[in-house]
């Protein structure tokens, strides 16, 4: 229903968007024993590193090929070679995930060729899984980098099943978009397991960046899905892809292995969760467990209680397409109006957002639209804090980065429970804002003083 | 206007830097910066450094010319504070796309500058160059010049693309931009004999305001702080200051030195961290001002303020001394900051069991030894596992470090306090040091540690990962102790020159085999110190120790 527009301005002010390579890098952090590596100058890595440390409040594995000016011009083979060898020697990773950046793409480094050459020359890394993904940061956005990386993982790591191999009906692949948090993945895992199924998440940030205490000090990722388990994904009975961004990865997995996939464009709210329950029930041949029947009732009750506060709210939302569609859709379903919507990149899902227009833009655009259209609820990542302060409206942080509040990794929106708690959090925020800023006073409903208005006492009346 | 590479060479050739003055011409040309190692580096780039140095100028529009990565991934993430303008926290970037790379991004940059001036009307626009447009050849100097002429607003090019080097080079390149385009372009309305510049101070967590009241009381005016809570105009007129203090070690030494050369403004390197250091810095400011013609009554007034403030600080810290009795601190931080914090912690009665000296110069090391005594553990390079073991063995009760190593301490359920840029508290001056002591006490005596260390009720003793890790390390240590050959091999395998991958054994062998006596000779035989040169201090120590001492180390 929405049209997607792209404003023509030369200067992006207060970016909403983050770059593709670090989206790719985050996807590689969902693998076990992984070391994501950006092929670019060291700043490309250090900015990403700081961003993720501040978001997850965890140690983050992320390395760089440390391209200098000269290396950039001459080509980065030596740097890629040294980086792979150094990482192999120092951190003994199970896999290296290599993402390109703007400078190395502009030079046109043939990274696939480099990797082949490094393997030939150095037998010690001949069998080390190295997955390369092209992610120039002068196009597309964070979500695209994540999606491309997962697609490449599928292409490079999943084994084609042997002819006549029997599928394991109890095994389910899950391809989550980057809009899901470790908390969302944990919730999904619980739900799927409660149907007697065994899920494999690719990538699995819940195992690696969920804030648990690690077993040991390791410079690579801890937890996450193992390369061996990824290789086996072709034996699963089903694949569930979450978010439009994962369509490519789901399709790639299907093309390679024949595993059928079901794409959930949304997974937040009553309808999408009902769909998930029915699919799992069908796959597993089991009825929906009593626990979820009860949770469904709780969500319905939360929606009834919450709609008083969320209904009629004029929402300003800035998020990547899948998060925008998911959360925006859930709130629209509770009577909120999506009054201002800004996103980072193109996606087919944007056309279905229940609003007139989705703008590909920045937080300056969102702030301007929110002001013009008198929005009274702002949802975006932490960088919305300055806009929220200027607008004086309640602000709920969602998306990456969330660096100025705790618990970014555990904010949950999927499943009945996730939606229920999200509705409570938003409703409470709106109520608190009302108490703090909108308590009635004797002057609240007074017509502004106008000269000669009916009932107005002027000095002339007194005389 | 010189080229970027000429500017970089000039920055490397810094006579104000003692370390640099000791180098050969060839070494000097290579610069003072650590050579980057692919797969083994994680520091910020030159662009990052330039932005860190200049972004605290609060009324300036900071425009980043590059793809979204450079600004979109990193904006509004520094803890500097402003007493007024908020424009510096608004993020501007050209967010260049494929078309700009093919056809050049200069037009977009020019339009972006125009949009900013039309919408925000800032006193100046700073334009930061990044790798990609530097590579495709966008001439930001020309664009800035044209835009400034057209719009009548200063537009300053900051030529510090990420791939020219690391963060500290970027700090200096930022300084060069100020020297070339800003400093000396505006005359102050009034000057006083008490005008000073503070250079290299970023007002993180507002900490400059912990010292400013004292300067105000003494009638000393900060004509310009470069760049914490600074304004464009203040920097532009900073050439009329009578004296300058350079903080934050050598990040902006080029600015201080060139302002001395060009405008005759004497400077000293000082610190407001620690009680003694703060007093010394205040004295030095007063002394320099008097030297430049200020009435000398300020000396006595300064002493009076110092006496009063020190007494207050001691009185505030005294109650903690008995509580800190026997508590040990592990201090992991870079370079010069070590000794200024060491003194302060000892003032509070804490015992320092170790401090990192990885980035310290020889003089720094001597000073630390002087402060901490012969037994002090000077840590060259510590793996996370070793840090953890040190904390766990209760050789330390608390770790103070930068944000990077916090997870080692926190995951090990050991108290930790942030003393680097990311910290949320201000620790400057007398009040700041009292605050640091309070924070240490709050952290150290928090009952949370006892709870988080308690094993789950179903855990089998000795089976937790912590116990296993410790057991494993103890076993390794015991094995080494029982096997002198293996122990010697382990000792010899300690890396000395990380850049060139030379270990202690190789250096000792070379010294013995060829009778080497100087760092240059060692370099000739082993290539050690051939990279960034930071390990030269270490090689000197190995040479000084001689074969017998080295073996006993």
């Amino acid at each position: 229903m929405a049209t997607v527009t792209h404003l023509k301005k030369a200067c992006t002010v207060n970016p909403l968007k983050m770059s593709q390579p670090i989206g790719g890098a985050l996807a590689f952090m969902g693998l076990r024993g992984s070391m994501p590596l950006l092929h670019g100058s060291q700043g490309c890595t250090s900015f990403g590193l700081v961003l993720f440390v501040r978001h997850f409040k965890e140690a983050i594995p992320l390395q760089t090929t440390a391209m200098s000016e000269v290396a950039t011009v001459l080509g980065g083979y030596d740097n890629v070679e040294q980086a792979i060898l150094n990482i192999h020697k120092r951190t003994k990773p199970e896999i290296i995930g290599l993402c390109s950046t703007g400078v190395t793409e502009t030079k046109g480094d043939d990274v696939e060729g480099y990797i082949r050459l490094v393997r030939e020359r150095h037998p010690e890394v001949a069998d080390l899984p190295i997955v390369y993904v092209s992610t120039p940061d002068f196009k597309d956005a964070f979500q695209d980098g994540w999606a491309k990386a997962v697609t490449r993982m599928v292409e490079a790591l999943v084994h084609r099943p042997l002819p006549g191999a029997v599928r394991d009906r109890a095994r389910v692949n899950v391809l989550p978009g980057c809009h899901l948090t470790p908390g969302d993945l944990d919730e999904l895992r619980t739900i799927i397991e409660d149907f007697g199924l065994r899920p494999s998440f690719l990538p699995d940030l819940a195992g690696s960046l969920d804030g648990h205490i690690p077993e040991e000090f390791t410079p690579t990722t801890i937890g996450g899905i193992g390369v061996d388990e990824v290789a086996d994904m072709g034996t699963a009975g089903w694949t569930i892809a979450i978010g439009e961004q994962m369509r490519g990865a789901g399709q790639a997995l299907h093309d390679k292995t024949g595993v059928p996939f079901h794409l959930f464009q949304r997974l937040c709210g009553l309808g999408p969760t009902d769909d998930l329950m029915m699919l799992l029930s069908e796959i597993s041949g089991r009825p929906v467990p009593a626990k979820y029947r009860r949770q469904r009732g709780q969500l319905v009750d939360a929606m009834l209680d919450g709609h008083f506060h969320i209904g009629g709210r004029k929402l300003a939302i800035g998020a990547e397409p899948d998060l925008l569609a998911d959360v925006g859709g859930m709130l629209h379903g509770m009577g909120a109006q999506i009054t201002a919507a800004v996103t980072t990149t193109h996606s087919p899902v944007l056309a279905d957002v229940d609003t007139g227009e989705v703008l590909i833009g920045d937080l300056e655009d969102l702030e301007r639209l929110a002001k013009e259209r008198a929005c009274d609820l702002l949802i975006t990542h932490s960088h919305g804090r300055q806009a929220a302060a200027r607008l004086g409206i309640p602000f709920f942080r969602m998306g990456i980065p969330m660096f100025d509040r705790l618990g970014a990794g555990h904010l949950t929106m999927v499943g009945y429970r996730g939606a229920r708690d999200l509705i409570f959090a938003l409703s409470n925020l709106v109520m608190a804002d009302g108490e703090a800023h909108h308590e009635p006073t004797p002057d609240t409903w007074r017509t502004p003083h106008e000269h000669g208005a009916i009932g107005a006492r002027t000095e002339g009346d007194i005389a | 206007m010189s080229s970027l590479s000429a500017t970089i060479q000039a920055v490397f050739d810094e006579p104000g830097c003692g370390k640099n003055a000791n180098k050969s011409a060839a070494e000097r040309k290579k610069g003072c910066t650590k050579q980057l190692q692919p797969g083994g580096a994680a520091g910020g780039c030159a662009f990052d450094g330039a932005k860190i140095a200049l972004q605290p100028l609060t009324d300036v529009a900071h425009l980043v010319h590059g793809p979204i990565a450079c600004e979109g991934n990193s904006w509004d993430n520094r803890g500097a504070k402003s007493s007024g303008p908020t424009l510096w926290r608004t993020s501007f970037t050209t967010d260049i796309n494929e078309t700009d790379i093919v056809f050049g991004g200069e037009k977009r940059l020019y339009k972006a500058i125009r949009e900013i001036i039309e919408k925000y009307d800032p006193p100046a626009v700073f334009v930061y160059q990044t790798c990609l447009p530097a590579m495709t050849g966008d001439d930001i100097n020309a664009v800035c010049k044209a835009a400034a002429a057209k719009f009548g607003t200063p537009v300053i090019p900051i030529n510090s693309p990420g791939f020219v080097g690391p963060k500290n080079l970027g700090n200096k390149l930022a300084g060069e931009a100020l020297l070339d385009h800003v400093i000396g372009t505006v005359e102050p309305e009034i000057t006083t004999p008490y005008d000073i510049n503070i250079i290299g101070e970023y007002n993180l967590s507002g900490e400059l305001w912990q010292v400013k009241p004292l300067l105000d009381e003494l009638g000393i005016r900060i004509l310009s702080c470069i760049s914490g809570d600074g304004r464009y105009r203040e920097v532009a007129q900073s050439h009329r200051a009578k004296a300058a203090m350079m903080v934050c070690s050598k990040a902006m030494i080029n600015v201080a030195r060139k302002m001395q050369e060009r405008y005759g403004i004497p400077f000293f390197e000082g610190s407001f961290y620690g009680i003694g250091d703060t007093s010394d810095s205040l004295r030095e400011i007063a002394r320099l001002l008097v030297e430049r013609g200020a009435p000398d009554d300020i000396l006595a007034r300064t002493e009076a303020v110092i006496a009063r403030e020190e007494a207050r600080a001691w009185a505030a810290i005294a109650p903690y001394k008995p509580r800190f009795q026997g508590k040990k601190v592990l201090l992991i931080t870079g370079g010069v900051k070590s000794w200024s914090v060491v003194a302060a912690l000892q003032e509070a009665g804490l015992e320092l069991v170790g401090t990192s000296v990885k980035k310290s110069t020889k003089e720094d090391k001597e000073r630390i030894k002087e402060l901490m005594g012969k037994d002090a553990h000077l840590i060259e390079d510590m793996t996370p596992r070793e840090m953890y073991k040190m904390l766990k063995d209760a050789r330390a009760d608390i770790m103070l470090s930068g944000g990077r190593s916090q997870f080692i301490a926190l995951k090990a359920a050991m108290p930790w306090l942030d003393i680097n840029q990311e910290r949320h508290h201000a620790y400057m001056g007398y009040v700041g040091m009292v605050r640091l002591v309070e924070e240490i006490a709050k952290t150290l005596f928090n009952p949370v540690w006892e709870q988080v260390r308690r094993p789950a009720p179903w855990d089998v003793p000795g089976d937790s990962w912590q116990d296993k890790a410790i057991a494993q390390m103890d076993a390794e240590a015991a094995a080494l102790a029982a096997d002198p050959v293996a122990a010697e091999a382990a000792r010899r395998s300690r890396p000395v020159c990380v850049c060139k991958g030379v270990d202690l054994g190789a250096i000792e062998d070379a010294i013995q085999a060829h009778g080497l006596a100087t760092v240059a000779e060692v370099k000739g035989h082993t290539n050690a110190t051939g990279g960034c040169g930071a390990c030269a201090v270490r090689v000197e120590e190995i040479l000084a120790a001689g074969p017998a001492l080295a073996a006993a180390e």
Side-chain angles (χ1 to χ4, degrees):
Chain A
M1 275 162 284
T3 55
V4 179
T5 49
H6 202 149
L7 269 194
K8 290 264 171 277
K9 59 179 189 180
C11 186
T12 293
V13 183
N14 298 336
L16 172 68
K17 182 172 67 173
M18 295 183 306
S19 75
Q20 237 193 149
I22 64 167
L26 183 62
F28 285 114
M29 287 173 209
L31 297 175
R32 187 188 65 210
S34 158
M35 179 59 81
L37 170 65
L38 299 190
H39 182 34
S41 61
Q42 63 168 342
C44 304
T45 289
S46 94
F47 284 139
L49 193 73
V50 170
L51 184 100
F52 290 134
V53 166
R54 283 159 54 96
H55 178 82
F56 289 108
K57 312 266 185 295
E58 295 297 325
I60 297 290
L62 189 57
Q63 264 302 337
T64 173
T65 57
M67 294 292 284
S68 66
E69 192 173 10
V70 176
T72 302
V73 175
L74 297 181
Y77 172 78
D78 289 344
N79 290 59
V80 170
E81 179 186 46
Q82 275 188 51
I84 290 174
L85 296 179
N86 276 332
I87 291 171
H88 172 69
K89 198 170 111 190
R90 289 184 182 190
T91 67
K92 301 267 177 289
E94 293 176 49
I95 178 168
I96 294 176
L98 184 49
C99 303
S100 66
T101 63
V103 275
T104 56
E105 287 283 346
T106 303
K107 165 63 177 56
D109 277 1
D110 172 19
V111 181
E112 295 279 13
Y114 292 174
I115 294 173
R116 264 199 307 278
L117 210 54
V118 172
R119 287 189 197 281
E120 276 169 28
R121 290 186 183 170
H122 303 281
E124 71 268 31
V125 295
D127 297 320
L128 175 66
I130 302 172
V131 177
Y132 168 68
V133 53
S134 164
T135 47
D137 36 30
F138 48 74
K139 58 186 274 193
D140 297 338
F142 188 86
Q143 157 179 324
D144 302 303
W146 168 283
K148 288 176 194 177
V150 179
T151 305
R152 286 290 299 126
M153 288 178 211
V154 168
E155 290 167 355
L157 301 176
V158 176
H159 291 168
R160 221 177 281 278
L162 298 169
V166 182
R167 287 201 191 293
D168 182 351
R169 307 296 301 178
R171 191 167 168 190
V172 178
N173 300 324
V174 184
L175 304 174
C178 62
H179 58 308
L180 299 194
T181 64
D184 286 325
L185 302 194
D186 273 339
E187 183 68 13
L188 277 173
R189 194 189 317 273
T190 304
I191 292 171
I192 294 169
E193 285 175 351
D194 284 346
F195 281 88
L197 301 167
R198 284 179 288 111
S200 297
F201 287 80
L202 177 71
D204 189 2
L205 289 184
S208 64
L209 288 172
D210 64 342
H212 67 295
I213 302 286
E215 291 295 311
E216 56 188 317
F217 295 109
T218 147
T220 59
T221 51
I222 27 178
I225 185 168
V227 173
D228 45 350
E229 194 180 339
V230 178
D232 265 358
M233 286 174 82
T235 64
W238 271 91
T239 298
I240 295 172
I242 302 155
E244 182 63 34
Q245 59 183 297
M246 301 316 284
R247 185 181 295 278
Q251 189 66 48
L253 188 57
H254 172 77
D255 293 348
K256 193 166 187 185
T257 65
V259 179
F261 81 100
H262 184 97
L263 180 84
F264 286 92
Q265 281 194 329
R266 286 183 45 200
L267 212 46
C268 177
L270 190 64
T273 309
D274 284 347
D275 293 344
L276 175 71
M277 291 293 162
M278 292 321 287
L279 179 76
L280 293 174
S281 176
E282 194 188 315
I283 293 174
S284 64
R286 294 190 187 186
V288 175
K291 172 179 165 187
Y292 295 105
R293 295 166 191 247
R294 197 176 160 75
Q295 281 184 12
R296 187 180 192 280
Q298 292 172 354
L299 173 57
V300 169
D301 193 49
M303 291 167 74
L304 291 169
D305 296 342
H307 87 281
F308 295 111
H309 308 283
I310 290 172
R313 280 276 144 181
K314 286 188 277 186
L315 171 66
I317 181 166
E320 294 222 88
D322 282 329
L323 183 61
L324 192 156
D326 213 350
V327 175
M330 190 276 281
L331 293 175
H332 177 82
M334 289 185 60
Q337 302 163 33
I338 304 175
T339 307
V342 175
T343 192
T344 58
T345 182
H346 283 281
S347 166
V349 80
L350 295 174
D352 298 333
V353 176
D354 286 293
T355 183
E357 169 198 53
V358 178
L359 189 67
I360 294 181
D362 55 35
L363 291 173
E364 183 192 50
D365 299 325
L366 185 65
E367 184 176 347
R368 177 178 49 80
L369 292 175
K371 195 171 183 185
E372 282 170 10
R373 298 172 186 173
C375 290
D376 49 15
L377 175 61
L378 176 66
I379 297 180
T380 187
H381 56 51
S382 279
H383 282 303
R385 59 187 177 166
Q386 292 186 55
R390 284 188 287 260
L391 292 165
I393 61 176
F395 172 35
F396 192 76
R397 290 163 177 80
M398 280 192 103
I400 299 175
M402 190 173 121
F403 50 77
D404 58 345
R405 292 292 184 274
L406 297 183
H410 295 288
L411 183 66
T412 306
M413 65 173 181
V414 304
Y416 297 125
R417 250 192 330 198
R420 177 197 70 194
D421 293 347
L422 183 61
I423 288 166
F424 287 154
L426 280 163
S427 302
N428 288 341
L429 178 75
V430 165
M431 279 186 255
D433 174 67
E435 289 157 8
H437 305 293
H438 303 286
E439 282 292 311
T441 71
D443 294 322
T444 303
W445 293 282
R446 200 186 298 280
T447 313
H449 184 87
E450 285 171 53
H451 188 69
I454 299 163
R457 272 174 48 165
T458 63
E459 281 170 38
D461 291 336
I462 296 162
Chain B
M1 181 67 228
S2 60
S3 72
L4 176 56
S5 60
T7 309
I8 291 172
Q9 279 309 323
V11 164
F12 281 161
D13 194 12
E14 173 55 64
C17 171
K19 202 168 167 180
N20 189 62
N22 289 332
K23 287 186 184 172
S24 72
E27 277 174 328
R28 221 173 287 160
K29 199 168 176 191
K30 247 193 255 164
C32 49
T33 54
K34 193 174 158 64
Q35 265 181 355
L36 305 178
Q37 198 179 26
C45 61
F47 157 68
D48 192 9
K51 188 102 182 296
I52 286 168
L54 298 182
Q55 204 186 10
L57 293 173
T58 55
D59 56 355
V60 168
H62 301 271
L63 168 61
V64 176
H65 183 42
I68 193 67
C70 307
E71 177 70 358
N73 295 353
S74 73
W75 65 286
D76 197 19
N77 69 351
R78 303 274 304 171
K81 296 290 170 200
S82 166
S83 60
T86 56
L87 189 60
W88 65 294
R89 283 187 63 198
T90 299
S91 164
F92 301 101
T93 175
T94 49
D95 184 10
I96 59 174
N97 57 36
E98 280 169 303
T99 325
D100 300 310
I101 289 162
V102 178
F103 298 105
E106 293 175 359
K107 272 209 181 106
R108 178 187 285 270
L109 175 59
Y110 183 83
K111 279 188 201 152
I113 295 168
R114 188 178 65 207
E115 285 175 14
I116 290 172
I117 291 172
E118 281 170 357
K119 274 193 268 190
Y120 295 92
D121 191 25
V125 180
F126 282 13
V127 175
Y128 298 78
Q129 178 71 305
T130 63
C131 302
L132 202 40
M135 189 180 167
T136 54
D138 285 0
D139 183 351
I140 69 160
N141 286 0
V143 175
C144 288
K145 206 170 163 187
K150 175 79 177 174
F151 307 125
T153 296
V155 183
I156 312 300
I158 317 292
N159 246 312
S160 184
F163 57 20
V164 299
K167 210 150 66 174
N168 61 0
L169 175 62
N171 296 153
K172 293 191 173 65
L173 291 176
E176 290 297 314
L178 294 183
L179 288 162
D180 284 346
H181 303 285
V182 184
I183 293 167
T185 57
V186 171
E187 288 301 325
E189 280 165 18
I190 49 155
T191 57
T192 77
Y194 303 104
D195 290 354
I196 61 163
N197 293 331
I198 297 182
I199 298 170
E201 162 56 37
Y202 304 144
N203 198 32
L204 298 175
S205 306
E207 59 189 7
L208 183 61
W209 302 330
Q210 294 180 313
V211 178
K212 190 168 178 291
L214 303 180
L215 297 174
D216 291 344
E217 184 184 351
L218 290 167
I220 295 168
R221 179 169 79 146
I222 302 176
L223 186 64
S224 173
C225 179
I226 301 173
S227 54
D229 192 24
R231 308 288 186 275
Y232 179 77
R233 212 191 140 78
E234 291 170 2
V235 180
Q237 66 192 23
S238 60
H239 61 300
R240 293 298 179 209
K242 297 294 185 293
M245 170 173 171
M246 183 179 73
V247 240
C248 192
S249 94
K250 307 203 160 40
M252 281 199 156
I253 189 170
N254 53 334
V255 175
R257 182 183 55 82
K258 287 192 178 170
M259 288 184 79
Q260 182 167 34
E261 272 171 25
R262 289 182 193 175
Y263 310 110
I265 304 170
F267 73 95
F268 72 99
E269 184 179 343
S271 164
F272 287 127
Y273 292 112
I275 292 170
D277 285 65
T278 304
S279 300
D280 289 347
S281 295
L282 291 175
R283 277 191 195 103
E284 191 60 16
I285 290 172
R287 193 186 65 77
L288 281 179
L289 287 174
V290 170
E291 211 173 273
R292 297 296 312 284
D296 65 4
D297 67 299
I298 191 171
L299 298 175
R301 285 190 291 121
T302 303
E303 288 303 333
V305 166
I306 288 172
R308 184 195 67 207
E309 290 298 318
E310 284 195 352
R312 262 187 206 166
W314 290 126
I317 288 172
Y320 291 97
K321 275 196 162 172
R323 297 181 69 194
F324 284 156
Q325 187 75 45
K327 293 293 180 191
K328 303 186 190 74
V329 180
L330 181 61
L331 179 68
I332 306 288
T333 178
V336 178
K337 261 178 274 170
S338 281
W339 44 255
S340 46
V341 178
V342 167
L345 297 180
Q346 288 183 331
E347 281 164 3
L350 288 156
E351 183 186 339
L352 267 106
V353 287
T355 187
S356 60
V357 290
K358 203 174 163 186
K359 295 185 197 164
S360 302
T361 61
K362 198 173 174 180
E363 293 75 45
D364 289 337
K365 281 189 181 178
E366 288 305 317
R367 192 150 173 190
I368 293 166
K369 275 186 196 157
E370 208 174 287
L371 278 168
M372 292 174 56
K374 283 261 182 282
D375 302 333
H377 196 96
L378 301 192
I379 299 150
E380 290 288 345
D381 205 356
M382 213 175 191
T383 66
R385 235 166 62 133
E386 289 165 339
M387 259 186 229
Y388 171 65
K389 181 154 168 66
M390 186 140 190
L391 286 168
K392 196 70 193 175
D393 288 359
R395 278 188 281 158
D397 297 292
I398 182 169
M399 179 160 90
L400 311 188
S401 75
R404 281 233 183 118
S405 31
Q406 68 172 295
F407 302 108
I408 293 160
L410 294 181
K411 296 290 184 197
M414 298 302 288
W416 172 82
L417 199 63
D418 192 351
I419 53 162
N420 259 4
Q421 305 98 347
E422 296 88 7
R423 66 178 179 268
H424 293 109
H425 299 296
Y427 295 139
M428 259 199 185
Y430 304 102
V431 280
M433 214 28 68
V434 174
R435 181 68 181 271
L436 176 64
V437 170
E438 284 168 10
E439 288 299 323
I440 291 175
K442 228 161 73 182
T443 305
L444 203 48
F445 300 110
N446 193 315
V448 75
W449 303 115
E450 193 266 321
Q451 293 176 67
V452 296
R453 281 180 210 145
R454 192 181 302 159
W458 50 83
D459 274 356
V460 182
D463 210 30
S464 74
W465 71 273
Q466 287 100 332
D467 291 345
K468 278 195 228 161
I470 289 293
Q472 191 194 348
M473 288 171 79
D474 284 344
E476 283 169 18
L480 283 181
D483 183 352
V485 180
E488 173 64 4
R491 186 190 68 82
R492 286 168 52 89
S493 70
R494 292 293 280 193
V496 174
C497 178
V498 180
C499 302
K500 296 292 174 187
V502 187
D503 60 23
L504 179 62
I507 294 173
E508 284 180 359
D509 290 348
I511 293 174
Q512 202 143 34
H514 306 283
L516 309 180
T518 66
V519 175
E521 286 170 5
V522 172
K523 185 180 163 193
H525 279 88
T526 65
N527 217 3
T529 74
C532 68
C535 58
V537 179
R538 185 82 185 91
V539 173
E540 274 175 34
E541 285 172 0
I542 296 168
L543 283 164
L549 273 171
E553 190 184 345

